[in-house]
Amino acid sequence: MKKTLIAGLVTAAVSTSAMAWTIEGTGSSFQYPANKAWAKDFYAKTGNKVNYSPTGSGTGIKEAKAHRVDFGGTDKPLTPRTLAKYKLNQFPIAIGAITFAYNVPGVKNLKLSERAISGIMLGNIQYWDAPALKEVNPDANLPHKKVLFVHRSDKSGTTFGFTYYLSKMNSVWRTHYGAKKALNWPAPNRIAGKGNFGVSTAIKTNPYSIGYVDYADAVSNHLNMAIVENKAHKFVAPTPKSFAIGAQYADLDPKKDFYANIEYPKKGYPIMTATFVLVPKDKANKKHVAEFYNFAYKHPETAAKLGYVPLPKPVVAKIEKYWAEKGLK
């Protein structure tokens, strides 16, 4: 009787193990903290594994187009025409923010006006004690030190989101540089880091530096984040509350495969971006991808703790309908 019971338990364990599955994803480093947290909880709950490598949106798009992964992460959404060409489905998983993280010894609560941001990014402001910075930070001890700009070295959806914001905010930037995943930056004094983690590390280790970093990485690396002038000409701190206000302006429409760029909203924090998943239509595991993100949507608090704005319930309902129509559910 005892041997029979043990044999039954072993058979059940083998059966459960055989039923477990693994999916592979790569891409956006912006969405990596959320994917990592959701994957950990999902494995504990179901025994199913989600492996995700933060290689940058450029790689996520490339690998998804080649159908070499079960899903690719990107902060630069693809147009319906491009999705059709490469036989991909696309849906958002969360909304987040890109911050100006900086390292100026002795300076807290730095304010950046649109004039100051434009000057730094176009290379016209080269020192921290420039008039455009001092006029909105009269009590700060801004030194006569060169501004060191830190940017991404890889093709990045975070870079696309950041330059999309600059294009909306500044006509000179829009005319000469535009919104891109990678570019030759005009700031004369600059260094590059790979992934959001690499940029965060470079800012942390280089005094008098400033760069663009997603909120989750800025928080986890204990970086100072600037208070930024928004489209309504109000100075807004990077907080979940100000992100939620900006996120209200996201136009996420399933008829367009959720194609939308929401940077520079009318109110709230001005540098917002949705982050997306690309799923090859011919992948056997495509329903597992939807199953994982269905779990993620049911645990919005996980993403919220990391500084993301969870998708509103009406948007989640649209995604679930989209999955059903596209054969992901």
Side-chain angles (χ1 to χ4, degrees), residues 101-105 148 150 191 196-211 213 217-224:
Y102 68 94
N103 179 356
V104 181
L148 176 63
V150 186
I191 57 173
N196 278 305
F197 177 77
V199 174
S200 297
T201 301
I203 294 170
K204 196 171 185 177
T205 55
N206 285 277
Y208 312 111
S209 60
I210 187 169
V213 182
D217 272 300
V219 170
S220 65
N221 283 281
H222 308 289
L223 298 177
N224 289 318

Side-chain angles (χ1 to χ4, degrees), residues 59-90:
T59 300
I61 292 171
K62 180 182 177 181
E63 294 300 298
K65 282 181 175 179
H67 292 213
R68 286 192 287 259
V69 290
D70 296 306
F71 67 100
T74 178
D75 311 319
K76 180 182 186 293
L78 302 185
T79 63
R81 178 179 293 183
T82 301
L83 293 167
K85 178 180 178 180
Y86 291 97
K87 298 180 173 57
L88 299 170
N89 291 316
Q90 172 178 265

Side-chain angles (χ1 to χ4, degrees), residues 146-167:
K146 278 194 172 184
V147 175
L148 176 63
F149 175 60
V150 186
H151 59 87
R152 290 282 289 269
S153 62
D154 50 326
K155 287 185 176 180
S156 159
T158 306
T159 299
F160 175 82
F162 181 65
T163 54
Y164 185 90
Y165 153 75
L166 292 175
S167 297

Side-chain angles (χ1 to χ4, degrees), residues 267-287:
K267 296 180 181 180
Y269 191 75
I271 321 174
M272 303 290 300
T273 184
T275 187
F276 301 82
V277 160
L278 303 171
V279 184
K281 293 180 178 180
D282 62 0
K283 280 292 183 179
N285 286 335
K286 62 184 179 182
K287 290 189 177 182

Side-chain angles (χ1 to χ4, degrees), residues 129-276:
D129 60 351
L133 286 163
K134 290 180 73 174
E135 69 183 7
V136 293
N137 298 280
D139 299 324
N141 186 23
L142 293 169
H144 187 67
K145 295 286 187 178
K146 278 194 172 184
V147 175
L148 176 63
F149 175 60
V150 186
H151 59 87
R152 290 282 289 269
S153 62
D154 50 326
K155 287 185 176 180
S156 159
T158 306
T159 299
F160 175 82
F162 181 65
T163 54
Y164 185 90
Y165 153 75
L166 292 175
S167 297
K168 288 285 188 178
M169 187 268 284
N170 184 278
S171 60
V172 175
W173 185 277
R174 181 168 61 251
T175 300
H176 293 280
Y177 300 99
K180 299 175 182 177
K181 296 196 296 292
L183 73 157
N184 184 20
W185 296 91
N189 189 33
R190 63 185 188 273
I191 57 173
K194 184 172 177 57
N196 278 305
F197 177 77
V199 174
S200 297
T201 301
I203 294 170
K204 196 171 185 177
T205 55
N206 285 277
Y208 312 111
S209 60
I210 187 169
Y212 57 98
V213 182
D214 72 276
Y215 178 77
D217 272 300
V219 170
S220 65
N221 283 281
H222 308 289
L223 298 177
N224 289 318
M225 293 173 278
I227 301 166
V228 182
E229 183 181 10
N230 69 4
K231 190 173 185 178
H233 303 297
K234 305 290 185 183
F235 282 94
V236 183
T239 65
K241 183 178 179 180
S242 67
F243 302 157
I245 294 171
Q248 294 175 5
Y249 297 91
D251 178 24
L252 297 167
D253 185 353
K255 293 179 181 178
K256 298 186 294 184
D257 295 284
F258 301 99
Y259 177 79
N261 292 299
I262 62 172
E263 292 84 355
Y264 205 49
K266 293 179 181 179
K267 296 180 181 180
Y269 191 75
I271 321 174
M272 303 290 300
T273 184
T275 187
F276 301 82

